[in-house]
Amino acid sequence: MKSARWKLHFPLRKRGRVLGSACVLGLAVCAGCSDARAPGSGTASRASLASGPEALESIGFEWGRDVQLQESADVINVSPQVRSDVQGRFLVADPSETQVRVYNGTGRLLSNFGAKGNGPKEFRNPMVAVRTPAGAILTADFSGKILLVDSAGAVLRTYTSPVVPLFDLDVVNDSLVLIAGRTSNTERTQLLHLWNINRNKLVRSFFPQPQLPEQMKGAALVTSHVSTAVRGDTVAAIFASSDTLYLFGLDGARRGQVPIPFRAFRPLQQQAQGGAARESLLAWTENFSLIANVFWVSDGSLLVQYMDKVQNEAKWSLLRMTRDGRAVGEISDMPQLLVSAPGDSTFYFVKPGSETPNVWSIAAFRP
């Protein structure tokens, strides 16, 4: 199961309007990396290109019913980062609202907690909330803080992770959690880390950050996102604007890297101009595509979601590919894919045409 993440330092959504940057300026740049390939390179066939939500059938899915999340004066979904648990509930971390919410499968609000700050139940930018096998909730903040609460919302423990910035988190088993983010050693920054929650200790780091050409290192200072999806003992990872899918075992061993057979993906080819001013950075992000995340599908194929910004509006695209890099299909002008349910055959999108992200449409995979 996996949530969709597009994270820049500025809020992704104000109510009813998509802004071009999400909550953490951190999508890593890899165009021209020695570990990656130029878009469309390699031997993998490229996907056929379709457009619009109605084209979802072309990659093996069909639309179903809608779900509307309950809101209130205290609960408004602005930039939901979503996970689902084995009981069909949704865990929503909202960095714009610095809040975590739990919904049932019909969208009814079961609980919520969080506020802006550094207190026991406060966050700066909560990136993800996940359910542990014991039923507790782990919430990871961009700052490296990880909060563990029980099913009633009582704080069990607060951890300070050495992974900063922290982008993503997946529960592996009762004791191990996979963290995506940066921590440096003397040789090269590592991007994926196995953390023992019981011992509060990193036990393994892997996935060295791909090297950038000298002329692109300035861009790397403000783009550094990595996201993962775990299936069994295999980790699928994406790295910002790289056109490569990376595969690892939970032992840290690389199991391959596959060119993603994009057709419409635009690589980063220039530095940001005009310094670090917000307006300059927003204009710069209109020049290239950014991979947001990756999802496993129940048949072992993968969905790769990427995003373009056009006139300050987020434009989402979705590609389905086999694990060995064969293209199934690619669709532009899609609603945002938020999460997959356990079993990886049911996927939840923002409802096509909805101006707010609390109305979702379900899509089922039909093998």
Side-chain angles (χ1 to χ4, degrees), residues 146 161-172 175-185 188-197 201-209 226 228 230 235 237 248-252:
I146 300 176
S161 164
V163 179
V164 181
L166 191 160
F167 297 118
D168 200 359
L169 186 147
D170 278 291
V171 172
V172 175
S175 60
L176 291 179
V177 171
L178 179 69
I179 299 175
R182 291 203 304 271
T183 185
S184 296
N185 58 24
R188 194 169 173 186
T189 299
Q190 305 292 308
L191 299 175
L192 298 180
H193 318 274
L194 276 178
W195 175 55
N196 188 303
I197 186 173
K201 181 179 180 181
L202 287 181
V203 297
R204 182 176 301 115
S205 293
F206 53 101
F207 191 12
Q209 180 170 306
V226 61
T228 62
V230 179
V235 179
F248 296 91
L250 289 172
D251 59 358

Side-chain angles (χ1 to χ4, degrees), residues 50-310:
S51 179
E54 65 280 358
L56 193 65
E57 184 177 323
S58 68
I59 61 170
F61 295 80
E62 66 180 26
W63 291 110
R65 65 182 177 89
D66 294 340
V67 174
Q68 182 165 346
L69 303 188
Q70 179 183 353
E71 297 187 327
S72 68
D74 299 320
V75 176
I76 297 176
N77 289 278
V78 177
S79 53
Q81 315 299 309
V82 189
R83 293 295 181 90
S84 60
D85 66 18
V86 294
Q87 294 182 322
R89 294 168 295 194
F90 301 107
L91 287 77
V92 177
D94 195 326
S96 296
E97 297 291 290
T98 56
Q99 192 177 75
V100 174
R101 307 162 198 129
V102 180
Y103 290 92
N104 71 8
T106 65
R108 183 167 65 88
L109 181 65
L110 302 177
S111 63
N112 63 278
F113 61 89
K116 191 78 170 181
N118 298 311
K121 279 191 181 181
E122 295 178 334
F123 307 101
R124 298 180 189 176
N125 287 290
M127 307 302 288
V128 58
V130 297
R131 185 81 64 179
T132 70
I137 297 174
L138 271 177
T139 301
D141 195 84
F142 180 71
S143 66
K145 174 182 176 179
I146 300 176
L147 177 67
L148 180 67
V149 303
D150 65 17
S151 58
V155 175
L156 299 175
R157 190 169 181 181
T158 301
Y159 307 87
T160 301
S161 164
V163 179
V164 181
L166 191 160
F167 297 118
D168 200 359
L169 186 147
D170 278 291
V171 172
V172 175
N173 56 37
D174 290 340
S175 60
L176 291 179
V177 171
L178 179 69
I179 299 175
R182 291 203 304 271
T183 185
S184 296
N185 58 24
T186 56
E187 298 177 358
R188 194 169 173 186
T189 299
Q190 305 292 308
L191 299 175
L192 298 180
H193 318 274
L194 276 178
W195 175 55
N196 188 303
I197 186 173
N198 297 324
R199 295 161 52 197
N200 190 19
K201 181 179 180 181
L202 287 181
V203 297
R204 182 176 301 115
S205 293
F206 53 101
F207 191 12
Q209 180 170 306
Q211 297 287 351
L212 296 172
E214 189 66 34
Q215 68 272 21
M216 300 308 297
K217 287 186 176 179
L221 296 177
V222 291
T223 56
S224 56
H225 177 77
V226 61
S227 187
T228 62
V230 179
R231 179 182 173 89
D233 64 350
T234 301
V235 179
I238 55 90
F239 180 65
S241 15
S242 168
D243 72 339
T244 300
L245 175 73
Y246 300 90
L247 297 169
F248 296 91
L250 289 172
D251 59 358
R254 182 170 290 189
R255 294 185 173 177
Q257 58 184 64
V258 182
I260 302 172
F262 292 118
R263 288 187 63 87
F265 185 83
R266 300 178 301 151
L268 175 69
Q269 296 179 331
Q270 67 181 46
Q271 295 275 29
Q273 303 296 317
R278 182 180 189 276
E279 293 75 13
S280 297
L281 290 174
L282 288 173
W284 173 59
T285 61
E286 298 216 3
N287 294 310
F288 52 90
S289 304
L290 292 162
I291 301 179
N293 45 13
V294 59
F295 302 80
W296 288 102
V297 183
S298 56
D299 69 343
S301 63
L302 299 111
L303 296 175
V304 179
Q305 181 170 236
Y306 65 98
M307 179 260 203
D308 292 274
K309 187 162 70 70
V310 180

